[in-house]
Amino acid sequence: MHRPPHVLRRNGSVIRLVLSRRHGALLSWALGIVLGLHGGLAASSVSAASSPPKPALTATARQAAAFYKSGEYDRVLQLLQSVAPGQEPDREMIRYALLSQVKLGKPEEAFKLYLRLIPAGQPDDPALLRDVARSFILSRVRDSQEHVRIAAYTALAEIGDKDTLPLLEDGLLDSSALVRARSAEAIGRSGMAGHSSALKRTLRDEAPGVRIAAINALSDAKVSGITEQLTEIARIDEGPESIFALAGLYKLGRTDVLIDISNAATLPDPEVRMAAIGILGRLRRPGSLSILSQAVYDPHPAVRAFAAGALGEYGSPEGVAPLTHSLGDDNPRVRSVALTSLGRLALPETRSVIQPLLRDPDEQVRVSAIEAMLRLGDATAVLNAADLARHPDPSVRGGTAQALAVATAPKALTVLESLLKDQQPLPRLMAARALGKSPLSTVISPLKLGLQDSDAAIRIASAGSLLQALARTGKSGSSR
C-alpha cells in the first residue's frame, strides 16, 4: 500500500516542470529505458567507510571521539562551537564534527567542514568526500518534494550501490510512480535484484511503468520464480507490458518467444511496436537486423526514432545504411536519434554523413551531431558545443552539456564548468550529470562546486556524479 502523496511546494523550478511532464508520460519513460533515450535519514543508512584515523589526539579531540563513538553527535558539534574565536580547532575535532553532520543527515554542513579540513589546492580525502557525497543523496530520499526524491533515486540508480538495498526497497512504496520505477531500476543496477522479495512484489504495482521496470530488473538478473507471472502478463496484456514480459521470458531461457517479439514489431499499436523494436535492438539477435532496418520507414515518427535508437543499440556496421536514411527524416527527433546511434557505432567512414548536420536547422539535431562527432574523436566539435552552450534556450544548453559527457578533449571541461554556473537550473543539472559520465580526469573540483548549488536536485546530481568519479579514480591519495 502506497504512502499518501506528500504536499509539494511549488516555486516554479524548471526541474520540477521537466519532471512533472515526465510524470505524465511514465510509460514512455519506461519504454525509453530500453534504448537509453532519456537520455533526514536514519544514521544506520550512512556509510561508515571513513572511520576516523587514530593519531595522538588532543584532550578535546579525544572528548569529541568519545562523543562520536557513543552516538552523541550533537555534543561533538557543541565542542566545535565552544572553540574560542580566533582559535583554530584541532583537525581531528573538525573531522569528527564533519562525520557527525553526516550521521545527522546534514550534508551541506558536513561539506562546509570538509572545505575547512581540506582547503582548496590540497589533495582530497576520497573516503571522507565519498561519505559526504553519499549523505547528499541519502538524506533526501524522503524529501517532501517529489522532484527531489526523483533526483535522489536517479542518483542511486546511476551509482548502483549494493549497500542501499533497504533504502531502495523503501522507494518501491513511494507515492510517486516515477520514484518507484527509479527504485526498481536502481535495485537492478545494484546487482541485488535476486535478493529483493519487495522487487518481485512490484510486478503487481498499479503503474505499468513500474511493473516494466521490475520486469527488466528481475529478468536481467535471471531471477527464478517469476516465469509464471511473466507468462500470465504476456498472455493477458495487450500493450507494451506484454512485450517486456516476453523479453523477460527470453532472458530466462524461453528462446521460442523471440518470434512473438519479432511479430509485435508490425502490430497496429505504435507503443507495442516501439517496445518490440527496442527490445530487439537490445537482444542483438542476428535475424532482427532486417526488422530494425525496415522500421525506420514506419509511418509513426516515434516508432522511427525508436528504430534508429535500436540500430545503435544493436551495434552492427550494417545499420549504417538505414541510419543514413534516417538522417534525412522530416522529423527532427528521428534525425537526432539517428545521429546518436551513428556516433555509438564509432565508424570513421560515417563522419561525412554526420558533419553536415552540424548545420541542421534544429538545435537539438545539431547537439546530437556534436555528440556523434565527439564519439568519433573529433575535438573540433567542442567549438560547436561552446557556441550552443550560449544558446538562449535552456533545453539546448542542457542538451549540449549532455553531449559533452563523451568528450575527451580537455577544453570540454571549460564548457561544462560554465554550464554548471548557468543561471537556469536545467543546464546546471545536465552539466552535473555529464561530469559524472565524463572520461576526463579533472572533474572532482567542478563537482565540489556543484555541491554548493542553490537547488537541491543539482546538489544531489553533483553528489552522484562525484561518487562515480571517485569510483573511477580508485585512488587513496589526491582526487583533484
Side-chain angles (χ1 to χ4, degrees), residues 241-266:
E241 189 177 351
S242 66
I243 310 304
F244 284 95
L246 287 171
L249 289 170
Y250 181 88
K251 295 171 194 174
L252 293 173
R254 285 278 308 279
T255 56
D256 59 298
V257 302
L258 183 62
I259 188 170
D260 296 312
I261 300 172
S262 300
N263 290 338
T266 57

Side-chain angles (χ1 to χ4, degrees), residues 288-419:
S288 301
L289 182 60
S290 60
I291 298 173
L292 302 181
S293 299
Q294 184 62 34
V296 301
Y297 298 94
D298 193 280
H300 199 292
V303 178
R304 298 199 301 274
F306 259 74
L311 284 166
E313 186 78 32
Y314 192 92
S316 170
E318 294 181 48
V320 170
L323 286 171
T324 301
H325 167 80
S326 294
L327 294 184
D329 199 283
D330 291 338
N331 187 282
R333 177 61 176 160
V334 177
R335 299 198 300 275
S336 180
V337 176
L339 282 164
T340 299
S341 289
L342 283 170
R344 293 180 67 180
L345 294 179
L347 299 172
E349 59 267 29
T350 62
R351 184 188 306 269
S352 61
V353 297
I354 293 172
Q355 196 163 23
L357 278 88
L358 290 170
R359 299 183 296 276
D360 192 276
D362 186 273
E363 293 89 350
Q364 296 294 350
V365 174
R366 297 206 298 272
V367 166
S368 294
I370 289 169
E371 179 182 336
M373 293 296 285
L374 290 171
R375 287 184 183 275
L376 291 177
D378 190 334
T380 63
V382 175
L383 299 176
N384 301 86
D387 182 53
L388 283 182
R390 296 188 291 270
H391 195 278
D393 186 344
S395 68
V396 174
R397 302 199 299 276
T400 302
Q402 187 174 12
L404 287 169
V406 302
T408 56
K411 290 183 179 179
L413 184 62
T414 302
V415 183
L416 284 171
E417 286 178 325
S418 69
L419 289 168

